[in-house]
Structure formats: structure tokens, C-alpha cells
Amino acid sequence: MKTIICKVVAQTEPVYVPSKKTDSGQLAKSMIRLKELGGEYEDEYICAMFGNLALCKFAAGKTVIASLRFQTHESNGSYFQDVVANDIQNI
């Protein structure tokens, strides 16, 4: 887990994806692009947000504190990394 102060670059509209973990069988999902503070070439992250957090709107250019979880998984011999935003708070 990593907690960073960053700026919001962009956010997608929430969509509903199938989920076995919810009673309704669907879970809200949204993607957000975050950029660390500093210069033009600072690190950026494309993060998935789920549930109630996915329904929150974060304006582009807004400074936030984000708690990110990094995980990897294997599929058909290839490895992939996912970044999930566990919490995002406006500053």
C-alpha cells in the first residue's frame, strides 16, 4: 500500500461490472488518472476505484491524498499489474 499526494488528471464515468461479492451482483467501477506533485515528468498512475468510491467525482486539477494498492496476477502465462485506489480524499 502506498499513500501519495497527487493531482487528478482525469476520471471516467462509473460503469457497473458483475461481482459475486455484492447482493445485487453488480459493483460500480471507475478509472482515475493521478499524477504525483512536482515537475512535468512525475509518475502517473491509472487506478481502478470500486463501490462507493467509484461514484465520487474528482475534478481534474484537484489535489488529493490517495491510498493505492498494487497487485499482480497471471493470466495465460502473462503477468499484469493492477493499481486500485482504496481511498481518495480532497485536500
Side-chain angles (χ1 to χ4, degrees):
M1 186 105 53
K2 179 177 182 177
T3 302
I4 59 171
I5 298 174
C6 50
K7 286 203 181 275
V8 175
V9 177
Q11 180 182 355
T12 64
E13 291 295 319
V15 296
Y16 289 88
V17 296
S19 173
K20 296 177 183 176
K21 296 180 181 180
T22 61
D23 293 334
S24 66
Q26 292 187 327
L27 183 65
K29 178 182 180 182
S30 177
M31 301 299 287
I32 191 165
R33 184 173 158 199
L34 302 172
K35 183 174 185 175
E36 288 186 5
L37 297 180
E40 182 179 346
Y41 302 105
E42 293 300 322
D43 290 338
E44 291 189 18
Y45 306 94
I46 303 294
C47 311
M49 300 186 299
F50 296 100
N52 292 334
L53 184 60
L55 300 175
C56 296
K57 299 284 186 187
F58 297 97
K62 199 76 169 149
T63 303
V64 297
I65 297 175
S67 176
L68 307 179
R69 179 171 38 103
F70 298 85
Q71 57 192 35
T72 59
H73 67 276
E74 183 269 335
S75 178
N76 296 326
S78 296
Y79 290 87
F80 301 92
Q81 181 176 24
D82 296 324
V83 182
V84 177
N86 286 339
D87 189 29
I88 299 178
Q89 297 293 323
N90 286 312
I91 296 181

